[in-house]
Amino acid sequence: MPNEQEYAIGELATLAGVTPRTIRYYVSIGLLPSPRRSGPGTRYGEGHLARLRLIRRLQREHLPLGEIALRLEGLDDMAVEAAL
């Protein structure tokens, strides 16, 4: 999406209520998709923020990360938004 808001990792972490380390971990285990670019200019989009918010919501329901991964598997950004 051309006009999609983009965030630096610190901004994304603040908006989602997690730490940058948590974001990196979620990317490494496949809970979050990799950002389009890597390196110092890495930017994350609205889809990343929505997924993080859904992950946090599911965690509040006491679901383990494995179960959360199963629920998120195959969901596109629109499905994630709808689940929120």
Side-chain angles (χ1 to χ4, degrees), residues 20-37:
R21 183 177 180 178
T22 297
I23 293 171
R24 288 186 197 100
Y25 176 67
Y26 288 170
V27 169
S28 75
I29 64 170
L31 269 180
L32 280 179
S34 297
R36 290 184 205 122
R37 294 181 276 155

Side-chain angles (χ1 to χ4, degrees), residues 27 60 80:
V27 169
R60 284 192 296 275
V80 169

Side-chain angles (χ1 to χ4, degrees), residues 44-57:
Y44 297 83
E46 293 289 333
H48 292 98
L49 180 57
R51 256 174 217 278
L52 283 167
R53 287 180 171 159
L54 182 55
I55 291 166
R56 297 283 292 157
R57 188 159 134 230

Side-chain angles (χ1 to χ4, degrees), residues 57-72:
R57 188 159 134 230
L58 294 170
Q59 286 176 321
R60 284 192 296 275
E61 295 174 14
H62 307 288
L63 293 175
L65 288 180
E67 176 67 24
I68 292 171
L70 289 174
R71 290 187 183 204
L72 293 178

